[in-house]
Amino acid sequence: MKQKVVVFSQIDAEILQRLQQDYDVTVINPKLGDVQAQIQEAVVDADGMIGAGRVLNASHLQSAKHLKVISSVSVGYDNYDVDYLSKQGIWLAHTPHVLTETTADLAFTLLMSAAKQVTRLDKWTKQGHWQRTVGSDQFGQEIFGRTLGVVGLGNIGQAIARRAFHGFNMNILYHGRQQRPERAAALNARYCSLNELLQQSDFVVLAVDLNADSNQLIDAAALAQMQKHAVLVNISRGSVLDETALRDAILQRTIFAAGLDVYQHEPLKQSDLFDLDYIVTLPHVGSATAQTRKKMAELAYQQLVDALAGHQPRYLVNSQSF
Ligand code: 8YV
């Protein structure tokens, strides 16, 4: 009898086909109505789950009596109740490393777009406002040789800092729950308090995991520490940043601009952030290239297969043995 797998979000078509060859697959389909109810029903005799971007906690999984593994097609795992999964002896696998460079590229794209006001000036030019040599209203910010503050020198934060250090000769500051001396040394990076980072940085990039310590970390008080020419970039999770406080800071011009790829509520169909020209908004596309999403799906597939065969997946969030 085939093991049962629940696919709880859209995944790569070729990977889905492979799963359907070897497992009894149920695909959760939002078009069929209440997703939570579909998941609660589908997991009753499920052995494994694969997908991303959905909250999965006790209320979704309490009927799952045979579940061995959730293989997430993501590096972030704040949408899962990890403690609950561990107590139930359910492995949670995720997909680090394969998306690091792609996401760092996107972060730097946001940094440069916000610094040089690409989206605002593109709109300005196409609307025919370019009547004479540009003035200070069209000026951007210097990047080369300036100071980058990375909040969270994890794999992605380190990759962003590498781009800044080697590509733009930037001075690197970083903050996080722990110091990373081996990573810092290669970048001539200096660990400092969050306040010092906010006060000293020309660019602040949020690259932390979302957890109890980082939730709403960048609030009005934090933003008030930043310099008027400073740029904030968020590619971590939306809840790390107080979006209302950011809106106020941009309107009051206490910071220059921001680049956002993640939001407190996603997908973001409408927001009062959208009418602010000094904020560049992207739709959570940090890892969104065909190549990287394929690598993520392949890795998540392999970790699911390994777990269902009784082998510990390579990248476990809750790596302790059960
Ligand atoms: C995922 C991400 O595509 O990997 C992550 O943590 O944020 C993205 O790369 C997204 O989480 C899927 O919903």
Side-chain angles (χ1 to χ4, degrees):
M1 186 168 168
K2 288 185 176 180
Q3 290 176 298
K4 183 167 181 183
V5 168
V6 175
V7 179
F8 61 90
S9 70
Q10 190 171 355
I11 66 170
D12 177 273
E14 189 263 326
I15 296 291
L16 178 59
Q17 197 175 30
R18 269 196 251 164
L19 287 168
Q20 288 167 330
Q21 284 167 357
D22 299 328
Y23 302 99
D24 173 6
V25 174
T26 300
V27 180
I28 302 300
N29 183 348
K31 291 177 183 164
L32 299 179
D34 185 343
V35 167
Q36 172 149 351
Q38 287 186 56
I39 291 175
Q40 286 168 335
E41 183 181 349
V43 299
V44 170
D45 51 0
D47 300 286
M49 299 179 76
I50 186 170
R54 285 200 189 286
V55 172
L56 289 179
N57 57 34
S59 70
H60 303 88
L61 303 174
Q62 57 195 354
S63 58
K65 302 308 179 193
H66 310 287
L67 192 60
K68 302 177 183 66
V69 60
I70 296 173
S71 187
S72 188
V73 190
S74 69
V75 66
Y77 48 85
D78 50 280
N79 49 310
Y80 304 102
D81 184 337
V82 180
D83 290 341
Y84 172 78
L85 296 176
S86 298
K87 288 189 182 105
Q88 300 302 312
I90 299 168
W91 276 328
L92 174 61
H94 69 144
T95 58
H97 305 300
V98 292
L99 49 62
T100 298
E101 301 304 338
T102 302
T103 306
D105 284 350
L106 191 278
F108 225 86
T109 302
L110 272 174
L111 184 152
M112 296 189 73
S113 300
K116 300 302 184 181
Q117 286 295 289
V118 168
T119 49
R120 177 169 67 91
L121 295 181
D122 171 70
K123 188 165 66 173
W124 182 81
T125 305
K126 289 174 180 173
Q127 289 173 345
H129 295 300
W130 187 17
Q131 304 294 330
R132 64 188 65 79
T133 304
V134 298
S136 60
D137 281 351
Q138 287 74 49
F139 289 177
Q141 296 298 328
E142 297 285 350
I143 300 173
F144 190 84
R146 298 297 173 159
T147 296
L148 170 69
V150 181
V151 184
L153 200 64
N155 293 331
I156 295 171
Q158 180 187 22
I160 296 164
R162 236 189 305 114
R163 283 157 176 75
F165 181 68
H166 294 294
F168 289 78
N169 198 36
M170 294 180 83
N171 171 44
I172 312 296
L173 301 176
Y174 77 101
H175 177 74
R177 290 195 289 190
Q178 57 186 355
Q179 297 199 35
R180 301 278 188 125
E182 72 294 341
R183 293 184 171 196
L187 300 164
N188 198 23
R190 178 170 68 85
Y191 184 86
C192 63
S193 69
L194 179 61
N195 278 348
E196 183 180 354
L197 183 146
L198 294 165
Q199 292 161 10
Q200 299 297 320
S201 299
D202 302 300
F203 298 89
V204 176
V205 175
L206 309 181
V208 283
D209 295 340
L210 177 59
N211 52 51
D213 293 334
S214 64
N215 188 41
Q216 293 294 289
L217 180 68
I218 306 302
D219 56 12
L223 291 165
Q225 307 268 344
M226 291 178 65
Q227 302 173 79
K228 283 190 174 180
H229 67 272
V231 173
L232 177 74
V233 173
N234 190 13
I235 50 100
S236 60
R237 284 291 185 263
S239 293
V240 173
L241 169 64
D242 178 338
E243 291 171 0
T244 301
L246 173 65
R247 174 179 169 79
D248 292 343
I250 292 289
L251 287 172
Q252 293 158 20
R253 306 306 299 134
T254 60
I255 68 169
F256 179 72
L260 306 178
D261 188 41
V262 290
Y263 309 85
Q264 285 179 276
H265 304 291
E266 295 182 10
L268 193 61
K269 300 180 179 70
Q270 60 183 20
S271 167
D272 55 11
L273 295 173
F274 291 169
D275 62 11
L276 300 178
D277 285 341
Y278 282 86
I279 296 185
V280 180
T281 52
L282 293 178
H284 201 151
V285 288
S287 62
T289 66
Q291 298 88 336
T292 294
R293 287 296 174 85
K294 187 74 173 183
K295 287 177 189 172
M296 292 168 70
E298 289 275 6
L299 176 55
Y301 165 83
Q302 191 53 56
Q303 297 197 110
L304 176 72
V305 168
D306 289 346
L308 293 179
H311 307 305
Q312 181 167 310
R314 184 175 180 189
Y315 298 112
L316 274 180
V317 172
N318 50 359
S319 54
Q320 69 273 17
S321 57
F322 299 118

